[in-house]
């Protein structure tokens, strides 16, 4: 599984930005009180259960602060964390480690949060539907959050407005579904077309127009089941709209191929991961 | 109240980055299917209650996509939202509005989420302690989240490692509390010094050393009350460590001046805010 | 047609970068010899025939150098240029116009070059196949070149490695076609899958595996015709591999849906567009 | 010859930008289907003859995607390529190599294209005149294209508006040639001054005014020969204006010192360079 | 002392920017005349006395131009330089060293200038007051100059408007001192508050309002002494306003805790540091 | 005189960077205490004499903080300032003006400092030689400082390593003067060549080799006079090396064409310019 990590160029830039936020202009004013020649070995520990994500970001944060800091990983993105799990070991000058600690942990905790809630949705869907992430990501972190979703076992919907056609109700102001699908085939041949539908009637129109996916928005599980029957394999069926951990199982049982969940990126609580310092060498 | 907004340069840069994520390289492939000369008037609506934040970001997102889009605000950051509240009106070419919609909403929903949970903590503390945001912010969004906390009625702790001295247990590996405070006064005169304490003994040492604040980490409300009594006004008392909406009231009643809550920045669920299109003019 | 323009954020950044290249550190040392208070009206003229692209970039280049320069366009991206066509009028302080001139023209000439050669391929294909641009774009200009291709009447293939699955021979070192398509469906559901094929046997395997498109690489028109027959509508057929203006007609006649042409982005000669100064007012 | 490479800071930035274009937000979705632990050795091969340029960019592209990829070069910028020439060997994890391949090749093919057409012009001029590159470069790539021109055996004219005085007809709206040269000497002493001339009369005026170079624009070879005679060594003579591979020999024979050719930067077709994968190790 | 260096991320970015200024687009046109294979060993030498600062920047400048250049330091930031002191040895390819030389020295000379004048102020104050740097720094270099001040033995006042409250006369247009301090405590609890005072009356008001520091602006040493007496330990006393090396001793004798000096950052003359080339190996 | 201003793109970027330094992450914490609806009119005043520079930067600083702030200039870059001169009027919301004040003034004071010391050197040279700025500029501010030198009446030497050939002693390790000039003519035809000389012998060699300028480094005025005689008009003569306001007159009298002075960019003390607030409207 090499797709659980974000592209390295995205990691580098996000980390540089985060460190600039935390270290400018005067650096770590508290760390400056500690002698530079104290070396340390610290452990990155899970304080609660979850799924790991953000390894590349954490490594990069320590390296950008001080190339002398070495991080050794015992676990990789996508692996399960138990409370108390030893995730990585960090070795290097004490002030450098402390200066990078919060930035490294902010990435780890947030991205592991995304991976963890994704995994919970994936489990709740019990394999009856795939869990998809939307474009409702935290601004500036899309590449990282999309990877964290994959680490959690979910899949990615559109990466951006540029890479997938999704005709929503707001587009239909001056355009019929048929016209939208036809134009999409013409202007962007070879790309999947998805149409958001609020009713079985729209689903039928979209299928007849040859859409690749229908997105059933804000329907009940029963309505979803009816639409799945109506579609009858003519295209993929995706469901969205306020689906929670409580309701996702019912929706999955209704038979759609995909379930889009904004919550996994826009409202994921962190996983509590911290740095323990068992040893300080003089 | 002019401190509820983030600095404009931070807004401009965060929005540019978010739009690049969502529009490159081919722009809005679905929006491209709509004739450019359809003008629209849409309404930004709260779909649930909360506190507004992110106005400058949303305005900027529409403007960067197309200067012809005009946004008129009925509410400002820090104001309460009821479900159904009309927040703003957006007017301009339909494809431009749709291309900027998600980016604008991602900022609004996330930052309003931060403001809203902050306000709930503020209320739960019932005025007995101020709620402070930590450095546990989403990487790349610190300036925006710190402002959202203020919009919610909270206050900001350190903006960065560079702007406040907080001696934590990890710093005390090679350094006593007294030495830390003394060095801090020497190297960074005129700055507040805060010392994290795990026990009444440490609190006493920190007070005697002349710290400006003690941070009581992971104590029970009872222990906090004891420490407040021990400090007896010699410095400010701050509390932190896994405090929730359920427990914050008890902690506030214990008498500290400040309660630090990472949750309000690192685990705030969004407020659901959407764009409704009542009118499309041909 | 609103998809012939690149996203404005991409325009702004590319223009800022290009102006930095041309004006730093000392600005326009020749323009500095001219009195600043000479106003001018100049005309952007086509010196040869072609198709216009790059309007937003040229406007932005003048505006970033001096907001006092006003550009009025008579033609838009995608429109045909005859030799001698009057494209736009530029008015403002003479030194400002001259300082921005080359940067504005570099964008206009290059992007119009891309649009023009695309149009020629489109015409040569005589409507029997769509002309698609590849990822073989000039580094740093992908968003702009992809838009220029659309202005020329072509369509865009993948915007990036991130937005479309194309299994090439190099991927098949450790992976069969069937496995690739199956994994792609699993990991990236709802996305089109394309498989590059060198032989009818591979085409058959790909079709049976359920690919959405086959890319016939380096085949003769006859081989393409055979494969089109073999595919028989089971998926879209795309052709690529050294196709020229001379051969594209034959390939199009062979019946594929799409013809990918790297030349239109990586080897497009410019269209000669210049700035004429009929009037200088003192 | 150390001037055939662009400055490393320019390389780093251009490559980072190009990779961001191609890998965000979801990375290489096709490469993600391949196991990460397959190592490969691939060969960068010329598929047609030309002159190599862009080595630093290609090395940097692989390194930025994955530091574990190692590139070993058999040829350097400026060296001749025969069709089939082995240029470099690339070793590393298969998905990493494939993710960086197109970006690396886009630089190599484009810059080698610039170097190659430059060399052809240089040869066609048969040593009677130097071939100079203009400011008509691809926006964002000036440093790289200027180096590629040098790799091809050409020389660089102005790097930017900031680094050389070239008085063109558009500057002469409010300024005589004498005044322009006089002012240039005054304001920018120690810099070469060049004056664009359309007629022998202007050439004489420019020479008398003490210009360092005259640029004969859009003259026939005969007119150039006359002007060379007229100048008689008083300054350098440069020729420009639509000079092609067919006509450059005649112009060179007319005796100018320099021939400016926009084509070598703005309309250079690529050299076809590809990546062959003879070995994949499990 | 690990606080004499600026944060590495700030160093990297400032150096990249400076090299872009100096090397684009054509690189070092003079260095290009030298064979690349000449190796050199050069020495960074102080040509006058002072205090060293900028080591990280100089190392980074050489590394960004060519990773093959190795710099070995004999002295560190904060150490005294005598005229003729050997500061560092630089080894590598001659053209690379020369291409980075000026940028490396520009940082070293400027930052050592800041450190040196700071040290002179520190000495003139004879330990009776700490010398503080203000926000009057060179735009774009704040992190580096603040570190250089620390290397010189001074201390840092606010890093930015964001990290410290300083109520100045301009703020008091619509706000009394009492209101300002009260609001500051409310909105930014736990932060030091400083109030600028022009008269003993204001000092008394500020003290009574509970300020942490008073800033006595543009007072004579006698007036300062009176105010120190008036304050009588209720808060820290800082002095500012046109204090020079000549007058700083008198001000220090008047008993304030801190003396703010804009000169040390905004008007520091450089320390002359150069590169000597004793050995060039063929 | 339109060359006294830096290019606008350089201004925009430098100001954005400076504001980020001063306002992130929490904005102006003191300004936040003031009601946003207080409008003000303030005056930018010279507190000492000098020469103005930096107008575009100051305007840009206020505009980037708040587009509602309007700046009206009474003086332009290059104009003389008396102590007490009214330079500009600033109108807008009080907190916005105060938030941008320091950044705007930092540019104005520093760049006016460069312009002012340049003017003093220009006057001291009494028109017998032009004063030239070197590459010894403050890192990151080259475009702005070069413009300030022009505003002061000086001229610009090389803008960068890329835009002028200057053969220094360090280049001559593996290269004779003749070879350097010959190679320079070959590789960079049409560019001025300057050779640094330490002795009359080198001057003679350089002249014979056809250099365009000789740079006499670290000579006495008498030696300079001898070299000027020796050169006898064969090329321009420039002088450099520790020239001060005291000695520049003597050097100018010795007859060189140009005098290079690092001091005017690397060690210019600021001109004291401040913001006065006569009126605050409620």
């Amino acid at each position: 599984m090499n797709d659980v990590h974000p592209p390295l160029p995205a990691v580098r830039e996000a980390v540089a930005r985060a460190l600039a936020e935390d270290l400018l202009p005067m650096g770590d004013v508290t760390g400056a009180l500690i002698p530079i020649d104290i070396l340390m070995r610290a452990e990155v520990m899970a304080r609660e259960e979850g799924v790991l994500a953000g390894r590349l970001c954490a490594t990069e944060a320590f390296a950008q602060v001080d190339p002398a800091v070495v991080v050794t990983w015992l676990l990789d993105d996508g692996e399960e964390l138990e409370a108390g799990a030893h995730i990585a070991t960090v070795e290097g000058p004490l002030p450098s480690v402390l200066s990078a600690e919060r930035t490294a942990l902010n990435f780890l905790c947030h991205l592991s949060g995304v991976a963890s809630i994704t995994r919970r949705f994936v489990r709740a869907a019990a394999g009856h539907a795939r869990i998809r992430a939307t474009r409702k990501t935290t601004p500036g972190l899309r590449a990282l959050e999309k990877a964290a979703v994959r680490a959690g076992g979910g899949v990615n919907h559109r990466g951006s407005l540029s890479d997938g056609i999704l005709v929503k109700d707001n587009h239909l102001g001056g355009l019929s579904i048929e016209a939208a699908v036809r134009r999409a085939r013409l202007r962007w041949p070879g790309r999947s077309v998805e149409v958001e539908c609020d009713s079985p009637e729209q689903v039928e129109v979209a299928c007849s127009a040859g859409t690749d996916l229908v997105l059933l928005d804000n329907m009940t599980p029963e309505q979803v089941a009816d639409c799945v029957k109506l579609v009858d394999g003519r295209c993929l069926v995706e469901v969205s709209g306020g689906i929670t951990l409580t309701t996702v199982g019912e929706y999955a049982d209704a038979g759609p191929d995909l379930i889009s969940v904004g919550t996994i990126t826009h409202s994921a609580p962190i996983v509590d991961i911290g740095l323990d310092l068992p040893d300080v060498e003089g």
Side-chain angles (χ1 to χ4, degrees), chain A:
Chain A
M1 271 214 307
N2 60 59
D3 66 345
V4 298
H5 293 125
L8 209 43
V11 169
R12 252 180 240 118
E13 199 210 319
V15 169
R17 208 189 308 139
L19 287 174
E21 278 185 347
D22 206 31
L23 288 174
L24 299 189
M26 289 178 299
D28 178 358
V29 296
T30 316
L33 308 176
I34 305 172
I36 186 70
D37 55 356
I38 297 185
L39 295 179
M40 81 182 297
R41 166 194 293 247
E43 287 173 5
V44 179
M45 305 295 293
R47 306 212 191 291
E48 61 181 326
E49 64 172 23
V51 173
L52 185 66
R55 194 180 110 162
L56 295 186
C57 294
T59 300
E60 184 71 18
F62 287 109
Q64 287 193 11
V65 165
D66 185 349
V69 177
V70 174
V71 188
T72 311
W73 293 87
L74 286 75
L75 296 172
D76 197 1
D77 287 13
E79 292 192 70
E80 303 271 334
L81 302 173
E82 291 180 32
H86 181 184
I87 298 170
T89 298
V90 181
E91 292 171 284
L94 178 56
S96 300
V97 173
L98 296 182
S99 295
E101 173 190 4
R102 186 73 267 140
T103 298
L105 292 178
N106 280 352
F107 280 106
L108 272 185
C109 295
H110 175 66
L111 296 174
S112 296
V114 170
S116 301
I117 194 169
T118 301
R119 179 98 21 120
R120 294 176 68 198
F121 270 92
V122 167
R123 293 226 167 104
H128 300 152
R130 310 296 312 275
I131 300 300
R132 283 229 288 190
T134 67
R135 284 167 49 243
K136 296 179 178 177
T137 54
T138 313
L141 297 182
R142 185 164 293 169
L144 308 187
E145 291 183 351
K146 288 281 187 179
V149 165
R150 300 192 302 266
V155 294
N156 295 164
H157 198 162
R158 291 196 286 185
S160 69
L161 281 177
S162 161
D163 84 351
I165 296 155
L166 172 48
V167 181
K168 310 185 87 166
D169 51 358
N170 283 347
H171 294 96
L172 299 175
L175 200 68
S176 68
I177 288 179
E178 292 91 341
V181 175
R182 199 173 53 239
R183 283 195 198 184
R185 295 290 181 219
L186 201 67
R187 285 196 194 279
W188 312 102
R191 274 174 191 268
S192 300
V193 174
E194 180 162 16
V195 178
E196 188 186 74
C197 300
D198 298 327
S199 67
E201 291 69 32
Q202 281 189 314
V203 169
E204 184 53 43
V205 173
C207 279
S208 305
T211 188
D212 297 296
L213 303 92
V214 287
L215 176 63
L216 310 179
D217 198 37
N218 289 319
M219 293 192 181
T220 63
E222 294 70 35
Q223 292 170 314
V224 169
D226 289 348
C227 287
V228 168
K229 201 172 300 173
L230 174 63
V231 167
D232 193 24
R234 285 179 290 171
C235 69
L236 292 181
V237 176
E238 182 163 22
V239 178
S240 74
I243 294 166
T244 65
L245 273 170
T246 314
T247 60
V248 67
E250 277 181 277
Y251 277 102
D253 291 343
D257 302 281
L258 300 160
I259 298 176
S260 261
V261 187
T263 296
I264 58 177
T265 47
H266 67 52
S267 297
I270 64 153
V271 171
D272 192 2
I273 296 175
L275 193 72
D276 288 346
L277 275 82
D279 288 316
V280 175
E281 313 162 25

